[in-house]
Amino acid sequence: MREVQSSDSHVCSFLQRLSRKRQEKVGEPSKKISGLRSFPLRQWDLFMQDPGVFALCNMGVDDVLLEPDAPYFLFRNGIWDREASSIRELSPKVVVLSLEHALNSSYRSFLQHRMTVVTEEENDPFVLLNGASCSNGLFIYVPPGEKVLLPLQFLFMQTDDSAFCVFSRVHIFVGADAEVQILSSVEGGGVYNGYMDLVLEERSFVSYVSYPGHVEKKFCFSAMRASLKKESYLQGFFFPDGEVAHRESCRIALQGERGQVELYGLGVLSGTRQSHADLFVEHKAPFCRSQQLWKNALFDRSKAQFCGEIYVHPIAQKTEAYQMSRSLLLSDHASATTKPNLEIFADDVKASHGATISQLDEDQKLYLRSRGIAVDQATALLLRGFCQEIWDKLPRISLVHRCQMQYRKWVSL
Amino acid sequence: MLEIKDLVASKEGTRILQGVTLTVEPGSIHALMGPNGAGKSTLAKVLSGDPSYDVLEGDILWNGESIIELEPEERAQRGMFLGFQYPIEIPGISNFQLLLASYNAKRRYAQLEPITEEEFLPLLQEKMNTCRMKQEFMYRNVNEGFSGGEKKRNEIVQMTVLDPALAILDETDSGLDIDAMKIVADGVNQFFTPQKSLLLITHYQRLLDYIPPHWVHVLMDGKIVYSGGKDVVARLEKSGYDWLTSQVSV
């Protein structure tokens, strides 16, 4: 059964009401909110008052699509363009609905419950802004046992400047024993505020990659909320690429035994770009495993902030939770801030966190130079080595190539 | 090929080399021995251009040209190779990537076109076979997770690929078992031709049994205090450095 329906002019009033109510409690984005203390809120305010000129995507879908033979969902200027999307390759068992339609379908109870639970716990004002402002979105249901072989691609393109602030919202429910790969990228625009909600049923697997687009956007707010049931497994990859600032907000709840989550981030920032990551992994069941590895290489006057929290509930015995943040400072004016946080209320847990902020290793550089490699190339090689650890974990070779292409652009090599 | 003239060098204000003079001709193998802290590794690093050392006096000539002001990569491109005593681990960069970049850097210096990965592969495979390194090491990160012996053999692989005119091997034999030492020595001997030179820094006779030197120099307190033939090695092995200390005023 496949239903495809889009009614983008309508408003998801249920979600808006919830979000606005929560906004009243949480308040506007401010330095008082944990995770936003070093976010460039002043620049954000100025931009919202006068967005000025921002880049638009005038490339064709084929030029920016990563996997031409895989299904894709195209969002133009925040609106899902059903006609321009291609989901023929998708199994007919996979249900695709506009969010508005899903809220009026048999999925209504599930969706409303999920939205209520998540929104009532939400503390991120940019995520609440998404819920309050999003005109529509997408709902995808992957039925139990369905192994979606080709990745689902989400392409967010800003093609005209009628709206400088674009909101998108995708809710995906992955049934027991199902598997799905999700690739997402944003092309152009002033502000992109995207929200991805994932529910993983027992033994399901999701690989999610938010990879860098070709065309810059000024501000990028990306949020993922995920709930993992027994023995499910989520892998997430994030590559910040906002011209002014990128904020990645992840809240993952390991609800069932032996759930696993791995979150990987890699930023190579130059100019005055900023990357802010706010990760929260909650262990709510025994025998779960989580891993966070976040890396930033910072040129010029760029800045990176990493806030990572692991929360282990008393019931979550035999937890394994690891967190590592590594920042490379490649200029005297670049800066990195790391705020790791472990809150453990179970007594049989393996957990660790680590953070390094350093420059390129001079011994490594000298070793390469002693092999005839010029200092610039040695620096580039070491930087590539720094990135490689994340690239090696990517699930598709096309992603590795795209990320490496972006890397070459970043470091101008 | 290499002339070291009255070389005085320091690190962080401490003078380590106190006037080293040594000439290395093509087709010659030199062993440099000496007690711990004599300055052997410092000499190797100063020759390779390690910027953490300061040359205070003297000169280093390479085919008649002073290379004191040259960067480490420029010295390597001219044909000097340093096998590190403690090879550095480099996460994220494979042996293949490192060696291809090095090989092409040398080709560019010789005004030759860089070669492709496909062209480089058989060359590296052959050199790895020579040094009896498993092919899987090609795609492993440089020295990461290697045993001590594998790291030293990897240095020899790099040397044979880059085919330098002068190889300075800093305690390449330390930490090697007997079989690994034979493999390393085989690799070095295959590399050696009448056009090339070797400077072997070592504490032990065994490596020199496999790679017989033409000259043996003893460095003590930053100076070469004795130069002679291979026979000095047996004497050092038997009597230590005391007999030199008593003979030479240092």
Side-chain angles (χ1 to χ4, degrees):
Chain A
M1 186 267 291
R2 162 144 0 127
E3 297 173 62
V4 177
Q5 193 169 330
S6 170
S7 55
D8 299 309
S9 59
H10 293 97
V11 164
C12 301
S13 52
F14 173 77
L15 176 62
Q16 285 196 328
R17 269 199 316 277
L18 272 176
S19 300
R20 284 179 181 156
K21 195 173 161 194
R22 184 67 187 164
Q23 271 182 320
E24 286 169 17
K25 285 191 180 168
V26 172
E28 294 293 311
S30 79
K31 299 276 181 192
K32 290 178 189 166
I33 296 172
S34 173
L36 290 180
R37 288 198 182 102
S38 63
F39 191 81
L41 288 171
R42 186 171 153 70
Q43 275 174 276
W44 164 251
D45 287 340
L46 289 171
F47 181 82
M48 293 302 280
Q49 287 164 28
D50 178 14
V53 179
F54 49 86
L56 297 172
C57 180
N58 52 16
M59 299 167 82
V61 172
D62 291 343
D63 298 325
V64 293
L65 211 55
L66 197 68
E67 298 270 346
D69 299 325
Y72 63 87
F73 301 89
L74 177 65
F75 291 72
R76 278 191 212 277
N77 309 313
I79 310 291
W80 176 36
D81 187 338
R82 179 167 58 98
E83 299 302 321
S85 299
S86 169
I87 51 174
R88 287 186 305 277
E89 301 82 1
L90 204 52
S91 158
K93 292 179 188 164
V94 176
V95 177
V96 178
L97 297 169
S98 76
L99 203 51
E100 180 69 23
H101 186 63
L103 281 165
N104 290 304
S105 71
S106 56
Y107 301 103
R108 175 193 180 106
S109 301
F110 158 75
L111 258 176
Q112 285 195 343
H113 174 70
R114 174 73 186 155
M115 285 174 172
T116 305
V117 168
V118 175
T119 308
E120 285 180 351
E121 290 181 348
E122 190 58 68
N123 288 316
D124 188 319
F126 290 106
V127 172
L128 292 170
L129 185 65
N130 178 294
S133 312
C134 198
S135 61
N136 203 347
L138 201 59
F139 171 73
I140 296 175
Y141 173 78
V142 183
E146 184 70 30
K147 316 275 190 215
V148 183
L149 297 176
L150 292 168
L152 306 184
Q153 302 180 94
F154 293 89
L155 195 53
F156 301 95
M157 290 173 86
Q158 185 78 355
T159 53
D160 72 52
D161 55 6
S162 56
F164 67 91
C165 201
V166 164
F167 299 91
S168 78
R169 197 170 182 98
V170 178
H171 288 252
I172 301 180
F173 179 94
V174 185
D177 300 296
E179 291 180 10
V180 65
Q181 215 173 75
I182 300 160
L183 311 180
S184 169
S185 78
V186 182
E187 298 286 355
V191 178
Y192 168 76
N193 183 322
Y195 179 90
M196 173 69 65
D197 187 72
L198 298 169
V199 175
L200 281 75
E201 287 292 292
E202 295 181 358
R203 298 172 304 281
S204 61
F205 170 68
V206 173
S207 168
Y208 172 86
V209 186
S210 169
Y211 63 92
H214 298 76
V215 189
E216 298 268 49
K217 39 258 132 208
K218 293 282 183 186
F219 285 89
C220 198
F221 299 93
S222 169
M224 173 190 276
R225 300 293 179 260
S227 167
L228 279 72
K229 293 199 180 159
K230 189 176 174 182
E231 293 173 29
S232 59
Y233 179 15
L234 170 66
Q235 264 190 333
F237 295 87
F238 307 89
F239 298 87
D241 66 343
E243 189 185 340
V244 178
H246 181 112
R247 178 172 158 74
E248 195 70 57
S249 165
C250 294
R251 286 182 77 94
I252 313 294
L254 291 154
Q255 308 272 13
E257 284 186 16
R258 294 187 170 78
Q260 276 195 70
V261 61
E262 293 167 8
L263 302 173
Y264 301 108
L266 174 63
V268 181
L269 309 179
S270 58
T272 56
R273 285 159 201 274
Q274 297 195 17
S275 166
H276 297 255
D278 195 358
L279 314 183
F280 181 70
V281 176
E282 204 174 2
H283 285 254
K284 293 179 152 181
F287 298 102
C288 291
R289 187 174 183 281
S290 69
Q291 183 169 351
Q292 302 169 38
L293 174 61
W294 218 263
K295 300 179 100 172
N296 282 295
L298 305 164
F299 289 93
D300 307 327
R301 292 180 177 273
S302 58
K303 285 183 183 175
Q305 187 191 36
F306 174 83
C307 295
E309 182 169 354
I310 299 166
Y311 191 103
V312 182
H313 287 258
I315 194 174
Q317 301 293 350
K318 303 285 181 188
T319 283
E320 283 187 44
Y322 307 103
Q323 181 193 80
M324 174 58 76
S325 153
R326 294 190 189 282
S327 298
L328 264 187
L329 298 181
L330 300 162
S331 138
D332 292 343
H333 303 291
S335 69
T337 311
T338 298
K339 193 180 157 200
N341 192 12
L342 295 182
E343 289 193 69
I344 299 172
F345 298 96
D347 51 19
D348 188 3
V349 168
K350 285 184 194 170
S352 69
H353 65 78
T356 60
I357 298 175
S358 63
Q359 295 173 325
L360 280 177
D361 187 310
E362 287 300 324
D363 288 340
Q364 292 176 351
K365 206 189 280 186
L366 181 63
Y367 189 74
L368 296 180
R369 294 176 71 193
S370 77
R371 299 300 180 249
I373 298 169
V375 66
D376 287 354
Q377 199 187 354
T379 302
L381 261 178
L382 291 175
L383 184 55
R384 190 187 164 100
F386 179 79
C387 300
Q388 193 72 44
E389 187 180 6
I390 303 287
W391 294 340
D392 281 344
K393 296 178 192 303
L394 284 167
R396 303 185 80 81
I397 192 71
S398 56
L399 284 163
V400 178
H401 291 156
R402 173 63 66 85
C403 291
Q404 288 179 345
M405 186 186 82
Q406 187 67 23
Y407 157 83
R408 284 191 287 273
K409 192 169 131 189
W410 281 327
V411 298
S412 306
L413 291 167
Chain B
M1 178 180 286
L2 178 73
E3 277 182 82
I4 306 167
K5 290 183 173 177
D6 297 322
L7 191 65
V8 177
S10 69
K11 182 165 187 171
E12 293 164 359
T14 304
R15 286 161 80 106
I16 302 171
L17 299 184
Q18 308 271 11
V20 173
T21 296
L22 177 67
T23 300
V24 178
E25 298 291 352
S28 62
I29 300 176
H30 295 248
L32 185 65
M33 303 182 79
N36 292 329
K40 302 183 297 296
S41 292
T42 294
L43 178 61
K45 286 176 180 171
V46 170
L47 290 176
S48 73
D50 186 332
S52 63
Y53 293 86
D54 296 313
V55 173
L56 305 176
E57 293 171 33
D59 207 350
I60 306 168
L61 303 180
W62 179 261
N63 295 327
E65 172 202 15
S66 173
I67 57 168
I68 290 279
E69 299 296 328
L70 294 187
E71 300 293 340
E73 58 271 29
E74 293 172 312
R75 299 180 194 209
Q77 288 161 4
R78 278 163 172 74
M80 192 185 286
F81 177 89
L82 171 62
F84 279 54
Q85 184 180 1
Y86 303 108
I88 306 290
E89 296 185 10
I90 307 186
I93 301 177
S94 69
N95 262 330
F96 187 92
Q97 287 172 311
L98 164 69
L99 282 167
L100 179 60
S102 304
Y103 192 78
N104 277 333
K106 198 176 167 194
R107 283 181 67 86
R108 279 190 206 95
Y109 177 74
Q111 299 188 322
L112 297 169
E113 283 292 308
I115 63 169
T116 63
E117 291 184 4
E118 292 73 25
E119 289 167 323
F120 184 61
L121 182 62
L123 172 74
L124 181 54
Q125 282 172 330
E126 182 209 320
K127 302 298 182 189
M128 294 196 85
N129 285 337
T130 304
C131 298
R132 284 181 251 172
M133 283 279 273
K134 287 180 188 163
Q135 302 286 314
E136 68 185 60
F137 282 87
M138 250 192 295
Y139 298 109
R140 281 180 55 179
N141 293 338
V142 178
N143 295 324
E144 200 178 40
F146 287 24
S147 69
E150 286 164 348
K151 284 180 181 175
K152 295 298 174 79
R153 261 192 281 170
N154 201 33
E155 294 289 285
I156 301 304
V157 170
Q158 293 181 20
M159 180 190 77
T160 56
V161 169
L162 297 175
D163 197 27
L166 167 67
I168 304 162
L169 302 181
D170 189 4
E171 293 195 30
T172 296
D173 51 341
S174 63
L176 292 183
D177 61 33
I178 297 166
D179 292 336
M181 186 154 340
K182 281 182 187 166
I183 292 168
V184 164
D186 283 350
V188 173
N189 284 325
Q190 286 186 42
F191 153 80
F192 186 67
T193 67
Q195 290 76 40
K196 297 182 186 300
S197 334
L198 275 170
L199 179 57
L200 302 173
I201 296 172
T202 184
H203 279 294
Y204 307 109
Q205 185 176 357
R206 183 168 285 151
L207 180 72
L208 302 177
D209 288 340
Y210 294 119
I211 312 170
H214 302 109
W215 293 94
V216 177
H217 311 280
V218 180
L219 190 74
M220 293 176 83
D221 290 335
K223 275 185 179 173
I224 290 179
V225 296
Y226 185 88
S227 292
K230 187 177 181 301
D231 55 316
V232 76
V233 180
R235 190 159 181 192
L236 286 172
E237 192 83 6
K238 188 179 167 193
S239 313
Y241 292 102
D242 286 347
W243 65 276
L244 271 174
T245 316
S246 58
Q247 282 186 10
V248 184
S249 166
V250 288

